[in-house]
Amino acid sequence: MRHSSDKSSLQDDLEYVILTEEQIRKRIAEMAREIERDYAEKELVLVSILKGGVIFLADLTREISIPHSYDMVGASSYGSQMSSSGQVTITKDVTVLLKNKYVLLVEDIYDTGATLKVVKDLLEVHSPRSVEICALLWKEKKKRHHEVSIKYIGFKIPDVFVVGYGLDYNEKYRNLRCIGVLKKEIYQ
Ligand code: PRP
């Protein structure tokens, strides 16, 4: 009982839902079909970015039916703020061997591009055959710190601060199954 009431209070903090659990699930299944087709017969490694990307990784890896491995990189840029500082700190490198592998970087959101740029550069140092990017959310922005080419895009969303499905505000809301916009009184 305590668990379910905690969850509903998290949901109550949302002004509105942008993407429901069902919409996210369906789109991830579609993306997995594309990835299976593009990486058939290739040594695929999914690399996710801690901490936000792990929920997407957990769902995507189980939807992909071709053999592959996965790993995680630690990176952080937001701190406790609602907009990116542009400064990205790497806290953990991969341990799986990436040399000559086909790497797919699995990220929850492409916002200013700072995180993806730094992590992609880090992965290139391991001499993989290729590094492509799969982002669940692609934020519409006039200007980014870095323009990065994204091979698979889940959803294009407006330039608003979103939480849920791995995305946090002060480390909260990552466990929401949907993605939404917080009520103003939560952060003002
Ligand atoms: C968030 C998000 C992405 C990144 C995107 O992570 O999960 O990794 O910011 O923003 P960018 O395109 O402007 O770089 P954050 O740095 O907050 O760390 P977290 O995943 O641990 O919450």
Side-chain angles (χ1 to χ4, degrees):
M1 282 306 283
R2 182 154 174 229
H3 177 74
S4 61
S5 68
D6 285 347
K7 263 286 171 62
S8 71
S9 78
L10 284 180
Q11 184 98 29
D12 287 347
D13 288 354
L14 295 182
E15 182 74 47
Y16 58 94
V17 170
I18 285 196
L19 294 164
T20 64
E21 180 182 359
E22 180 61 11
Q23 285 175 306
I24 297 168
R25 193 192 59 72
K26 275 182 72 178
R27 183 70 188 113
I28 290 176
E30 290 169 0
M31 294 168 95
R33 299 295 85 77
E34 278 183 65
I35 293 165
E36 287 164 0
R37 189 194 60 217
D38 296 348
Y39 290 90
E41 313 298 326
K42 289 180 176 153
E43 280 197 274
L44 172 64
V45 184
L46 304 182
V47 176
S48 179
I49 306 178
L50 297 170
K51 294 180 268 193
V54 299
I55 305 277
F56 180 32
L57 173 71
D59 284 343
L60 186 66
T61 186
R62 289 176 295 174
E63 272 295 334
I64 297 174
S65 58
I66 58 170
H68 66 280
S69 52
Y70 68 72
D71 204 339
M72 288 153 203
V73 163
S76 192
S77 67
Y78 274 25
S80 61
Q81 305 302 310
M82 293 178 74
S83 60
S84 174
S85 61
Q87 298 292 316
V88 178
T89 312
I90 296 291
T91 54
K92 181 200 167 299
D93 199 350
V94 290
T95 53
V96 164
L97 276 182
L98 299 185
K99 194 170 164 54
N100 294 330
K101 302 277 174 64
Y102 292 82
V103 172
L104 186 59
L105 197 40
V106 175
E107 174 63 313
D108 50 3
I109 188 165
Y110 173 43
D111 190 348
T112 69
T115 305
L116 282 170
K117 166 81 171 78
V118 169
V119 174
K120 189 166 189 276
D121 288 352
L122 171 80
L123 296 178
E124 298 281 9
V125 172
H126 292 273
S127 307
R129 191 72 58 94
S130 67
V131 181
E132 300 286 358
I133 298 170
C134 173
L136 182 66
L137 305 177
W138 190 98
K139 229 187 218 191
E140 311 261 8
K141 278 185 109 78
K142 289 206 179 80
K143 202 170 178 339
R144 299 185 203 274
H145 288 310
H146 297 279
E147 289 293 333
V148 181
S149 162
I150 315 279
K151 185 167 184 180
Y152 307 96
I153 297 170
F155 301 93
K156 292 195 171 181
I157 63 163
D159 190 6
V160 288
F161 184 78
V162 288
V163 296
Y165 202 76
L167 293 154
D168 74 308
Y169 173 60
N170 282 346
E171 298 300 327
K172 218 172 146 188
Y173 306 103
R174 293 192 197 273
N175 58 325
L176 269 178
R177 291 175 182 270
C178 63
I179 292 171
V181 172
L182 283 178
K183 287 177 179 161
K184 279 202 177 65
E185 60 258 36
I186 306 295
Y187 53 85
Q188 275 180 346

